[in-house]
Amino acid sequence: MNIPVYNMSGEVVRNIDIADAVFAQPVREALVHQALLAQRANAHQGTSDTKTRSEVAGSVKKMYRQKGTGRARSGSAKSGVRRGGGVIFGPHPRDVSVALPKKMRQAAIKSVLSSKVSEQELVVLDELKFDVPKTCDMVKVMKALGIDGKAIVALPELDEVVVKSARNLRKIKTMPARQLNVADMLSYDKLLMTEAALRQIEELWGGAS
């Protein structure tokens, strides 16, 4: 497959061939959905915890005698129906992670990348470099490329100047190309990457699914 490469002024400087094994795969929506659910589940810490009546501090002595007071029956002050008592059916630490085979995860990533290419949401730059961190410089590049929505900027390695130039732009997220994932790519409209980052991706995920 052949796609154009742009410079930072938005001009096409050349066309390059990209690997069909990564960017021209069938879009497997069910697999992408499964990978998305697994990624979201694995993002849960599962550390929420509440104390039961056996864990809260307090006496287990019956608060007052069973009969003759005119009041409802009552046991320990640690009961869940009393203020300061234990929580009834509260959350406790648990593992909600989902194991997804490596080949399935890679196939899902390839499906999303292929979808980006087919829908013309992948933009490749020859390079992305700034002399000093300036938000306005990043804005100029985005305008030159016709990107006005949410976009991921994928780099072969994180460039501190580029990161600082983009961090004040709410719709722009910078990340290493190796960390591209299904959830982020589905959350952002455009995928902007340098040619070096693209070749890195091909090397990383260019094997058979």
Side-chain angles (χ1 to χ4, degrees):
M1 183 180 295
N2 194 268
I3 62 171
V5 176
Y6 299 87
N7 60 21
M8 292 171 58
S9 299
E11 302 168 339
V12 177
V13 292
R14 60 180 174 276
N15 290 313
I16 60 172
D17 291 321
I18 58 176
D20 290 347
V22 178
F23 297 100
Q25 295 297 301
V27 179
R28 301 160 65 180
E29 294 184 359
L31 178 59
V32 171
H33 182 253
Q34 188 175 352
L36 177 63
L37 292 182
Q39 185 175 340
R40 287 180 173 174
N42 294 339
H44 284 283
Q45 292 183 332
T47 54
S48 298
D49 192 19
T50 52
K51 290 184 177 182
T52 64
R53 62 185 299 168
S54 65
E55 296 171 321
V56 296
S59 172
V60 296
K61 181 181 178 181
K62 188 173 177 65
M63 297 181 66
Y64 46 82
R65 61 194 177 96
Q66 180 86 344
K67 294 180 179 294
T69 65
R71 303 173 67 183
R73 294 175 295 183
S74 180
S76 167
K78 298 167 67 173
S79 169
V81 299
R82 293 194 173 275
R83 182 174 181 177
V87 177
I88 301 173
F89 301 130
H92 299 289
R94 62 193 182 116
D95 182 12
V96 296
S97 62
V98 177
L100 190 70
K102 181 180 178 180
K103 287 189 176 181
M104 291 180 66
R105 181 177 61 85
Q106 290 181 348
I109 291 174
K110 291 179 185 180
S111 289
V112 179
L113 287 171
S114 300
S115 175
K116 291 292 184 186
V117 173
S118 64
E119 296 177 11
Q120 298 182 344
E121 294 178 349
L122 173 65
V123 180
V124 180
L125 282 173
D126 57 349
E127 64 175 2
L128 183 60
K129 290 183 179 179
F130 303 119
D131 294 329
V132 292
K134 283 188 178 181
T135 303
C136 62
D137 288 341
M138 180 63 78
V139 172
K140 288 178 182 178
V141 172
M142 293 298 151
K143 286 185 178 180
L145 296 170
I147 299 175
D148 56 2
K150 298 174 66 177
I152 291 178
V153 178
L155 304 169
E157 300 293 340
L158 279 187
D159 184 328
E160 186 177 358
V161 177
V162 175
V163 172
K164 288 182 177 180
S165 298
R167 66 184 177 185
N168 288 332
L169 299 175
R170 182 172 52 87
K171 296 182 179 180
I172 304 298
K173 180 175 183 176
T174 56
M175 63 191 306
R178 291 179 178 273
Q179 293 181 11
L180 283 174
N181 57 81
V182 171
D184 280 334
M185 287 192 289
L186 292 178
S187 299
Y188 288 79
D189 304 323
K190 296 285 187 178
L191 175 58
L192 173 65
M193 66 174 68
T194 62
E195 185 177 352
L198 183 142
R199 298 308 181 194
Q200 192 180 76
I201 288 174
E202 288 180 337
E203 182 180 353
L204 181 64
W205 294 316
S209 299

